[in-house]
Structure formats: structure tokens, C-alpha cells
Amino acid sequence: MSGWSSGRTAFGPDFRWSALHLLAVIAACTVLWVPFLQWIGSPDRDTLLTNAGKFLVVSTACIQVIVIVLAVLLLLAAATWTEEGARTGSLVVGWIGFVAAPAWAYWVVFSYIDWFDVGVDDRVVFLVICALLAVPAVVRPSAARLRVALGVVATSALLAATALLAVTSASVLLLAPATAYSAAMVVSGACARHARV
């Protein structure tokens, strides 16, 4: 465990910045529920929530809570890791977060947008989105500033796209993978920063 815990903490400016970034992600992912809650509470809606829909809502909320709790715990733990442990943590968390990217891209491409209307193959768009979201995960932790910057850009773009689609569809389908990816990018960036402390 010596590679992970150094018995020291580094709650400096970089850590506070990462904590604020994580809080912003949590706030954004919470606000993304608003369109669905407005729809479900509307007396004029003519569509009932099916059992599958109820399961989706409950499972999405549970996944979000679990992801957020784990992200907070990992962010706090990362402040005590050694440089080697933080570097490894950045890589591992980054790639774990990227696992959520294909799920998000899949639902966007195959459930929300019909790319065939503009002559673009859905599969190509899916692969392009996955590749773009993977960029922060493949940047070396030693290039901490670049890794963090790309993570912020990717997270912001993903959350903005999720918000746009959530408003128009009043669906929670994208919220779980969006939360998982965004939280992972924050923690991965924080670990990369800490590896340089």
C-alpha cells in the first residue's frame, strides 16, 4: 500500500479547484433532472410511465448517487496518495470513466438523433464521439495541465449536449453515463495534478 498512501495530504489550490469542479458536475447532473421532473409532474401529460420507465428512473438515480459518492471518496483519498499512486489512479479512473462514454454515445446516436437524414452513417458518428471522449483518458498524467484541460472541455461538451437532449425529450436516459464520465474525468484530473505535487 506504500505506493498509494504516503501519510501526507495535499489540500492545496489544485485540490480545491478539483473539488469545485466536482461540485459543479454534481450540480449540473442534478439540474439535468429538471426537464423530466417537470414532465412527470405535469397534469397535461398523456403518456404514462411504464414499469421499464420506472426501473430506468430508479436505476439512473441509484447509479448517480453511487458514482458521486465514489468520486468524492476517491478525490479525498487521492490527496494522500504518493506520486506513483496518484499517477496510476489517474490512468485507472480515466479509463473506468471512459467505459461510460460508449454508453452515452450509443444512446445519443441510436436513440436521439437520426444521422441518416444528412447522409452520415450512425456507426461512424458513434465511433467519432467515442474517440473524442477518449482523448482526455489517453493523455499522459505527466501532462497534467493538458489532461485536466481536455477533461474539462470533454465534460462540459458532454453535459451541454445532455442538457440539450434532456430538455427536448424529458428523458433521464443519458444521465447515468454522463454522470459517470464527468465525475471520472474530474477525479482523473485531480490525480494527475496530485502526481506532480
Side-chain angles (χ1 to χ4, degrees):
M1 295 295 290
S2 59
W4 292 97
S5 179
S6 63
R8 63 187 177 90
T9 58
F11 298 111
D14 285 343
F15 176 86
R16 289 193 291 270
W17 188 92
S18 298
L20 289 174
H21 187 191
L22 182 58
L23 287 175
V25 165
I26 293 172
C29 292
T30 302
V31 170
L32 289 175
W33 278 89
V34 171
F36 173 78
L37 294 176
Q38 289 178 332
W39 173 80
I40 200 70
S42 173
D44 299 326
R45 67 184 177 92
D46 54 5
T47 303
L48 295 176
L49 197 62
T50 63
N51 288 334
K54 293 176 182 177
F55 175 78
L56 174 64
V57 171
V58 173
S59 60
T60 295
C62 290
I63 290 172
Q64 280 190 301
V65 170
I66 292 171
V67 166
I68 289 170
V69 170
L70 287 176
V72 171
L73 293 177
L74 283 172
L75 187 62
L76 293 172
T80 67
W81 290 347
T82 63
E83 179 180 340
E84 178 186 353
R87 185 179 297 109
T88 302
S90 181
L91 289 170
V92 172
V93 174
W95 280 107
I96 289 176
F98 174 65
V99 171
W104 186 88
Y106 179 87
W107 292 122
V108 168
V109 173
F110 296 103
S111 296
Y112 283 87
I113 299 174
D114 186 0
W115 295 93
F116 288 108
D117 289 344
V118 292
V120 180
D121 192 317
D122 289 5
R123 292 165 295 183
V124 173
V125 178
F126 170 75
L127 293 174
V128 169
I129 293 176
C130 288
L132 290 174
L133 293 177
V135 171
V138 300
V139 175
R140 294 179 303 171
S142 58
R145 291 185 182 277
L146 179 60
R147 189 178 178 92
V148 170
L150 290 174
V152 171
V153 171
T155 297
S156 300
L158 182 141
L159 290 176
T162 302
L164 180 63
L165 294 170
V167 167
T168 57
S169 65
S171 173
V172 300
L173 191 59
L174 297 175
L175 300 194
T179 303
Y181 179 85
S182 302
M185 289 303 103
V186 174
V187 176
S188 179
C191 290
R193 283 173 172 269
H194 183 58
R196 301 183 60 188
V197 173

